[in-house]
Amino acid sequence: MMASRERLYAIGADYRKAISGYDKIVKICCGTGCISSGALTVYDELQRVLSKRGLSSKQILVKKTGCHGLCERGPIVVFGDDEILYQNVGKRNIERDIAALLATINEDKIEDELLYKGDDKTKRYMSSFDIPFYSGQTRIVLSLNGVIDPENIEEYVGYGGYKSLHKALQMNPMEIVDLIEKSGLRGRGGGGFLTGFKWRSCRQAQGLPKYVVANGDEGDPGAFMDRSLMEGNPHGILEGMIIGGFAIGSNHGFIYVRDEYPLAVYRLSKAIDEARHHGFLGRSIMNSGFDFDISIFRGGGAFVCGESTALISSIEGKSGEPRAKYIHTTEKGLWGKPTNINNVETWSNVPYIIDRGWEWFQSIGSDRSKGTKVFSLVGKVKNTGLIEVPMGVSLREIIFNLGGGIQGDKKFKAVQTGGPSGGCIPEEFLEIPVDFDSLTKLGSMMGSGGMIVMDERNCMVDVARYFLKFLIEESCGKCTPCREGVRRMHEIVDRICRGDGSMGDIEHLEELGKAIQLSSLCGLGQSAPNPVLSTIKFFREEYRTHVQEKKCPAGVCKNLITVSILPERCTGCMRCAVECPVDCISSEKKEIHGIDQSLCTKCGTCFDVCRFGAVKIS
Amino acid sequence: MEADEGKLSVIIDKYDGDRSYLLAMLQDIQREYRYVPEEAVRYLCGQLRIPLAKAYEVVTFYKTLSLKPRGRHTIHVCLGTACHLRGGPGILETFERELNVQTGDTTENGLFTLETVNCLGACALAPLVRVEEKDFGKTTPANAKKIIREFHDGEEL
């Protein structure tokens, strides 16, 4: 079916008419986070109870939406236009909570127990507009996440979807490129390259066909914004890509998605089918004469494939080895043809810029970083989840206001940004604005937007070792500095963690790191030493303590610590004994416990669960 | 031969025998057999007319593909950064100890294969464990034992 302007309006009008027939709309977050907390059970139960007619005389629409953001408190259930937000639904007592949902539906009765509680436990927040986690955000690309049913194209159109595509198709392709360039949009995948500039060079490149690619390979551990976008609003990505294809002069797009994201693959496939059915993809899109289609390519779980040239090798059916970028992919990319690769989040921004104009986009953000950025805020922060803020907001604002501070009110130690390519930032720099250039100046980077908060119980040397191990596994092995150098760095850091570090190791690491940065072939190797160099820069003292005093101040490195119970504090509650994975804690109720050191694996579980501070790690 | 030609032909035809889709075909083969059998690679190479070495290069490069047969259930312990910081390594150790296997191996009764994954993208609920399609968030060592019991299919552990 061809979609003209009238058709687009008709879909939207039909949707609004259908929606107006409902007395109540209940949105259940079915992002991956909430699903793992039991959201599907809540959905099924509520549907089951509602379908037993007689319980409600009202017309109720219960829908599954994409990620709402506040994953820590999932499953999340939202009523109407976010007027009421319930958290932790069905976690403790599913029957009671379903009854509470019914009471809200039928009698507008608010269940206090399910509302978000503030830090002081007295203030309760009714709507998401008031909760600091939400009120501190500016949602653009996430604006429909958690609002629409991602498996229903009518909802997307009903909320203004594909309007920008229609507008773009009336424009001259070069005009679109200019507009994107003027908006100042920079690539959200990490590099921060100017999107409009990239589009222009691809448009001007010689050779046909041309390709556009959405990079949804998100291999960064600790980052899940691309996943949430693909799962929560797949049409937004498609619309951006179609507009991009039209501007660049391409008729074929690829979405490269990790194989670990089955739900994203499913929802994107469904979105592509629906878009084709309604004439937004395929031949002569919206009767414009422009042909464009999109295929999904499932990645194979290789971190390096997020790098553009490696990603291209992978789509071509080879192993994902990068090549030197003497010639840009915009000139010679997929099968040697001009190819424009942008990250999923970058594509998602495009329809909004077309719709509201470049001046609007320019007005958001900081000096040289325009617009908003989606971050996944995880680690030791109270409100873990997904946030979108204007560029230039300070780290402190993100971690302590939106994130609600550190779990268990422990002391903040560092925040890791940019995944394995980034670095760790200590407390003294919390005031810096978060944008591409400020983070790079600190030896970290924006990356795709993972933000991992660490507290005093995290050892920075161990963190450095973690990233090195990750990178050894993920290096494709093509160039020597990365393949061998990172391995040597890991050996040194591992030795330090085991208590066998020697004088000069730290300096050796710095030297080796700089050499790898200078001589590696692709972005993976060039940035691989960042986590080590930044931890040495800001936490040199912690390295020194490991090397010289053979101690781990955070109590993480197993060879350097012992776990014991302080008899004067132990109340004999047995909590640690129940949780101990190796049953090495001797315990009788109300008697002081003891740890069998020969069995103890020093996992620290007892320390974490003890409510009386009776476990000592030294 | 474990891999039968009928099923393989269906997979190859799905991609019109286009060798650019080698990785996608291998992924489909893995879905069918839970690993990539050698016979399947040989058959695929014959049909697509590509050297065996090229297919093996791809199979060994990507982490989601396995040349070793896997057990009935694969337990994926996530070791992404957030999971690492919130106790993922301890969860992995618990599984290794309880199942008496090393990471990457399968239990003797063929019930469980234990693997790690670098990030499953549900970092807010770290540490995360995935068995088949089911995710378990905020796992503790004690939970790990419960997860094993949930999937033991009545067999003795």
PDB file of all heavy atoms in Angstrom, chain A residues 22 65 95 248 293 299 380 468:
ATOM      1  N   TYR A  22     -11.000   4.839  25.009  1.00  0.00           N
ATOM      2  CA  TYR A  22     -10.583   4.189  26.258  1.00  0.00           C
ATOM      3  C   TYR A  22     -10.716   5.138  27.443  1.00  0.00           C
ATOM      4  O   TYR A  22     -10.403   6.324  27.340  1.00  0.00           O
ATOM      5  CB  TYR A  22      -9.128   3.725  26.175  1.00  0.00           C
ATOM      6  CG  TYR A  22      -8.940   2.537  25.260  1.00  0.00           C
ATOM      7  CD1 TYR A  22      -8.406   2.702  23.991  1.00  0.00           C
ATOM      8  CD2 TYR A  22      -9.308   1.266  25.683  1.00  0.00           C
ATOM      9  CE1 TYR A  22      -8.239   1.620  23.139  1.00  0.00           C
ATOM     10  CE2 TYR A  22      -9.152   0.178  24.839  1.00  0.00           C
ATOM     11  CZ  TYR A  22      -8.606   0.349  23.571  1.00  0.00           C
ATOM     12  OH  TYR A  22      -8.454  -0.721  22.753  1.00  0.00           O
ATOM     13  N   THR A  65       5.231  -1.273  26.742  1.00  0.00           N
ATOM     14  CA  THR A  65       6.049  -0.234  26.121  1.00  0.00           C
ATOM     15  C   THR A  65       7.529  -0.596  26.235  1.00  0.00           C
ATOM     16  O   THR A  65       7.886  -1.582  26.872  1.00  0.00           O
ATOM     17  CB  THR A  65       5.843   1.122  26.815  1.00  0.00           C
ATOM     18  OG1 THR A  65       6.388   1.038  28.133  1.00  0.00           O
ATOM     19  CG2 THR A  65       4.382   1.496  26.890  1.00  0.00           C
ATOM     20  N   GLU A  95      -0.190 -10.672  43.919  1.00  0.00           N
ATOM     21  CA  GLU A  95      -1.655 -10.601  44.029  1.00  0.00           C
ATOM     22  C   GLU A  95      -2.106  -9.266  44.606  1.00  0.00           C
ATOM     23  O   GLU A  95      -3.040  -8.642  44.115  1.00  0.00           O
ATOM     24  CB  GLU A  95      -2.174 -11.739  44.906  1.00  0.00           C
ATOM     25  CG  GLU A  95      -2.258 -13.043  44.145  1.00  0.00           C
ATOM     26  CD  GLU A  95      -2.284 -14.246  45.062  1.00  0.00           C
ATOM     27  OE1 GLU A  95      -2.836 -14.132  46.168  1.00  0.00           O
ATOM     28  OE2 GLU A  95      -1.731 -15.289  44.655  1.00  0.00           O
ATOM     29  N   ILE A 248      21.444  11.371   1.212  1.00  0.00           N
ATOM     30  CA  ILE A 248      22.746  10.945   0.718  1.00  0.00           C
ATOM     31  C   ILE A 248      22.659  10.396  -0.704  1.00  0.00           C
ATOM     32  O   ILE A 248      23.624  10.440  -1.470  1.00  0.00           O
ATOM     33  CB  ILE A 248      23.342   9.894   1.695  1.00  0.00           C
ATOM     34  CG1 ILE A 248      23.763  10.594   2.986  1.00  0.00           C
ATOM     35  CG2 ILE A 248      24.523   9.148   1.101  1.00  0.00           C
ATOM     36  CD1 ILE A 248      23.902   9.674   4.165  1.00  0.00           C
ATOM     37  N   ASP A 293      15.149   0.559   1.149  1.00  0.00           N
ATOM     38  CA  ASP A 293      14.795  -0.581   1.990  1.00  0.00           C
ATOM     39  C   ASP A 293      15.901  -0.842   3.011  1.00  0.00           C
ATOM     40  O   ASP A 293      17.036  -0.422   2.819  1.00  0.00           O
ATOM     41  CB  ASP A 293      14.539  -1.824   1.146  1.00  0.00           C
ATOM     42  CG  ASP A 293      13.433  -2.668   1.784  1.00  0.00           C
ATOM     43  OD1 ASP A 293      13.226  -2.539   3.008  1.00  0.00           O
ATOM     44  OD2 ASP A 293      12.784  -3.447   1.065  1.00  0.00           O
ATOM     45  N   GLY A 299      25.059  -9.226  14.439  1.00  0.00           N
ATOM     46  CA  GLY A 299      26.483  -9.335  14.718  1.00  0.00           C
ATOM     47  C   GLY A 299      26.797 -10.636  15.437  1.00  0.00           C
ATOM     48  O   GLY A 299      25.903 -11.394  15.786  1.00  0.00           O
ATOM     49  N   LYS A 380      27.258   1.742  41.276  1.00  0.00           N
ATOM     50  CA  LYS A 380      26.879   1.892  42.684  1.00  0.00           C
ATOM     51  C   LYS A 380      26.006   3.118  42.938  1.00  0.00           C
ATOM     52  O   LYS A 380      26.126   3.779  43.958  1.00  0.00           O
ATOM     53  CB  LYS A 380      28.156   1.986  43.531  1.00  0.00           C
ATOM     54  CG  LYS A 380      29.089   0.803  43.404  1.00  0.00           C
ATOM     55  CD  LYS A 380      28.491  -0.445  44.028  1.00  0.00           C
ATOM     56  CE  LYS A 380      29.450  -1.611  44.007  1.00  0.00           C
ATOM     57  NZ  LYS A 380      30.586  -1.484  44.880  1.00  0.00           N
ATOM     58  N   LEU A 468      41.508  -4.494  30.829  1.00  0.00           N
ATOM     59  CA  LEU A 468      42.575  -5.092  30.019  1.00  0.00           C
ATOM     60  C   LEU A 468      42.209  -6.514  29.620  1.00  0.00           C
ATOM     61  O   LEU A 468      42.426  -6.928  28.481  1.00  0.00           O
ATOM     62  CB  LEU A 468      43.891  -5.068  30.795  1.00  0.00           C
ATOM     63  CG  LEU A 468      44.504  -3.673  30.943  1.00  0.00           C
ATOM     64  CD1 LEU A 468      45.643  -3.701  31.952  1.00  0.00           C
ATOM     65  CD2 LEU A 468      45.006  -3.144  29.602  1.00  0.00           C
TER      66      LEU A 468
END
